[in-house]
Each structure stands twice: as structure tokens, then as C-alpha cells.
Amino acid sequence: MKIQLFQPQAISELGHRKNQEDSIYPAKGEATEENRVFVVCDGMGGLDKGEVASAAVCEALSRVCERIHNADAPFTDDDFRQALKEAYDALDAADVNNEAAMGTTMTFICFHRGGCLVAHIGDSRIYHLRPSLGYPKGVLFRSRDHSLVQQLYELGEISYYEMGTSPRKNVILRAMQPHQEQRTKATFAYITDVNAGDYFYLCTDGMLEQMEDDELLGIVGDASMTDEQKVERLVELTVDNADNHSGYLIQVKSVETEPEFDAKMPNNEPDLRKRNKCLNDHDKNNAWSEDDVEVVSEKSNEDPFEPQSAPTQQPASSKSSTASPADDEPITASKYKMAPNSKKKSRITLVVLLFALLVLLTGVGIGVWLFLKKGPANEANPDDKKTVPTVTDSQKPQPGKGDGQNEEGVVVGKDGDEVVIPVDEYVDPGILINRGILSPTTSQPAPAEETTSGTSNNGDVVVGEGNIVGNNIEPQARDEKQNSSKTQK
């Protein structure tokens, strides 16, 4: 495929800024029909020395591409990557104070034997227009900006109109900055469907502040104007734009096809066109895909031909402070309606989240109810209960050996605790308290010489032979205790 061009038309306007931070290649007034490489960069005005960054990248990228470009061979993505690497090196060298406080966007196109290779970083844009098809199909391709509003739109959070009016419309997710640990990758498109009369339009976002795609296509397709007049019209419509605005309008004069050679060239423009929601959501009946364009996640939207950077997504940043390379995807700037599939996906997501929240709250409520019903763990431990046992006749100590008694007496507490008590020993009430057989409020008794196992009138437990437990003992035992005390005194 051999592509011939008309005289390319350059745009470079200050807007309401004091200095020009955009850079274009070739410089305004220097382009000819022989040029095959074009670059447009938008230095980030909020950062220091945006004009230095855009100039360094524009000069290095164009110089290397012109050196590599061969009219008799395709210009590959590997060729572009080599040029982009040298552009980053030039950007690093331009940051003499090593402050990493400058940055720029980048758009690029190279016409070669295999068609066109286009690439971009940031929210500067590339169009492939075919006016003969009319709107909207005449917009064959539009790069998808690496911006926050583009992602919000694709998620259904904002509408077409809100993309152009959002206070975050200048927040971009990719840019070229010096001294990046992981240099930002460019998104590529390979275009082989090129006809005579097609236009390619590279521009910074400043050219699009007051312009929609249908208006752009109407100007470019106006057969009553020359290309110079078309550019003048575009400049008139952007005269009130605050930002610098620059671009290149390039018309294809003729295309000589080489079927066998062209068939080997990659062409992912149709797939990118179908996936670009802003090209499909204007009119579903005229969409490039017969099916609705599905809302896809940030990662699945990535160009399949583009090498992916590591998933180190950082917070979105404005042009005065851009994010480091991230696997985000492009923007657009249009109006009209909400994306139907985006709204549907948002509603489904909301329902799922509400259901998950309901399940979580239900689980917490059941857990609290069971906890309150069972009581704290320490109360549920039978070893910690200090209740006075009830001893039935069957649970009283049995007689010992020789005279019908056993060697041990057995007492079973209220909660089923079984305690073996030696018959011939005095049992410290503290032991019974620890075992939950005796309440801690009970006073410790003194040992008695002769007592029969059993219970007192007040229900106190008498354990074993010669052992008394409890405050209330039988009258005879109480009298013996009192006499004993008097004798000791």
C-alpha cells in the first residue's frame, strides 16, 4: 500500500494562555506532501516546564522515527517502541534538576507501506474520518483518551454531557514524565483501511472544548471549502478556548494497493471501533456492531496489541499532577444519553452489594442473639458456678468396709458433678467450692469427732464420716462445738 497525501495543515493556538506549551511536528508552516511522520504533544500546564517536556518528546520521537522510517517497508510497533524509548531518554535529560515535575501527552501517526500506525498517551486525540459515509459512521476511528471521565462514563457513572462539563475532565491517567520507574506505555492502532479522501486529525484536548464529533465531520466533509479554509474554520470555533490548542489535519490524496502485501498487515481498527462506546452509543441503530456494545472493565478494555504495564494503579491525577503508568483506558468528549448497558450494570452491581450487606447484617444479628441467649463464656463454664448442691438419699455416702461401708463416699452436686471424698479425711470446704459443690458464701466448719453422713435440717451437706460442711449443723453437733470452744478458752 502506497499512500499519497495532500498538503498537511497545522494548527497551533495560544488560547488564553501566556505561553505555548503544545509542540507539533513538523513545525507550523514546515510540513509538505512528502512528510509521513506527524507528532502532537500537549505539555501539562499545571506542571512546571510543560513546554520543555512537550518539546523534548516531540523532537526526539520525530527525529528517531524519520531515521527508522523506510518508504519501502512497514513501520512496526517495535520501531515505534524504539523511538518512544529515545523520547523518554530525552525527557529524562531535559529534567536537569531531577525533579520529575514536568510532563506531556503524545499523539503520533506514521504513514508507511503497510498503511498507518497510530499511537497515543494521555487525552490528546487521533481521528480517522471518512466524510462520504456521513455521521456517525464517517468517524471510522477515534482514540480513547486515558482520562478519568472516560472511565467514569464506561462504568455508567456519568453521561456524555457530563464528560464535557465535569470538573474532573482534565484529570488524565497516563502521561509521559521523566524518571519513571516504569515508563508509561502507548496504545497502538494499526489501520489498513485507507481510501482517497479520508482525513486523519491529530489534536490536543484544547481543540475539543467546544466541538462535537458531528460538527467536526461536517466541517471536514464540506466540499465547498479547501483544507486551508477547513483549518481556519476549526480555529474560529475554538477562539474562545482557554487552553492552548494545536493539531494537524491531513487528507489522503491517493492509495495504491498491493493485495498480497497488504493482506499480511495487521488491522485492529474495526475491533477498536466496535469497542469504543462513544462511537456506538450515539445511535444504536447505526452502531458498528449489530449487538449492543458491552460495558467492559478497565483491564479488558486494553488494546490487545499493547504491552501491559504492571497493575500499579495510582490515584487519578490532574494535568497538574499525573499518575504513573497504569492499565487504564481512554476518554472521549461527547454528550447525549447515558450508556444503556452501563446503567444496567450499575443497577445489578448495586443490587448485589445490597444483598451482600443484608446477609452480613443478618449473620451479625443471629450471632448477637445466640451470645445473649447463652451468656458470656465464663458463665457457661460449669467449673465457675458456685451453687450449693442438693444431695438425695441415693447420692449420700455409703457405709464403709467391715461394717458395710465403702472406702470412699460419693457426693453428686446439683449440676451432675461427681466428687469422690476419702472417708477418713477432713475435707477443706475450699476444695468443694472449687469443684462447684459448695457455695463460697458458706463458712468453713471445724472437724467433728462423730457425725453421721447426711443432711441437716436446713439442707447443709454432711460428707463422709466425721466431716461437717455448712453453717447450720444439727443441734447436738452445735452444742459439742460450743463446749469445745469454751474448754479451749
Side-chain angles (χ1 to χ4, degrees), residues 418-465:
E418 183 175 280
V419 183
V420 179
I421 306 298
V423 177
D424 297 330
E425 289 186 20
Y426 165 73
V427 179
D428 188 340
I431 297 175
L432 300 182
I433 291 175
N434 290 335
R435 295 303 304 269
I437 303 303
L438 186 64
S439 169
T441 58
T442 307
S443 301
Q444 177 176 320
E449 293 294 335
E450 297 180 2
T451 307
T452 303
S453 299
T455 58
S456 69
N457 294 333
N458 293 319
D460 292 298
V461 183
V462 182
V463 185
E465 184 178 3

Side-chain angles (χ1 to χ4, degrees), residues 314-461:
Q314 295 185 1
S317 54
S318 69
K319 281 195 173 182
S320 60
S321 178
T322 59
S324 63
D327 289 340
D328 46 72
E329 270 297 347
I331 174 184
T332 30
S334 267
K335 302 182 182 178
Y336 315 118
K337 58 195 175 187
M338 283 288 288
N341 289 328
S342 298
K343 294 169 66 178
K344 180 179 179 180
K345 182 176 180 180
S346 297
R347 288 194 294 267
I348 293 174
T349 302
L350 181 60
V351 170
V352 171
L353 290 176
L354 289 175
F355 179 75
L357 181 60
L358 180 62
V359 171
L360 178 62
L361 293 176
T362 302
V364 172
I366 292 174
V368 172
W369 179 77
L370 292 174
F371 178 81
L372 295 176
K373 181 179 180 181
K374 185 176 180 180
N378 61 338
E379 292 186 7
N381 186 354
D383 290 341
D384 293 338
K385 291 191 175 183
K386 311 299 181 182
T387 56
V388 177
T390 301
V391 181
T392 62
D393 291 339
S394 62
Q395 296 170 337
K396 294 179 181 179
Q398 301 300 317
K401 270 187 178 182
D403 54 355
Q405 293 185 349
N406 294 324
E407 291 182 352
E408 297 178 335
V410 177
V411 176
V412 180
K414 181 178 181 180
D415 293 321
D417 289 354
E418 183 175 280
V419 183
V420 179
I421 306 298
V423 177
D424 297 330
E425 289 186 20
Y426 165 73
V427 179
D428 188 340
I431 297 175
L432 300 182
I433 291 175
N434 290 335
R435 295 303 304 269
I437 303 303
L438 186 64
S439 169
T441 58
T442 307
S443 301
Q444 177 176 320
E449 293 294 335
E450 297 180 2
T451 307
T452 303
S453 299
T455 58
S456 69
N457 294 333
N458 293 319
D460 292 298
V461 183

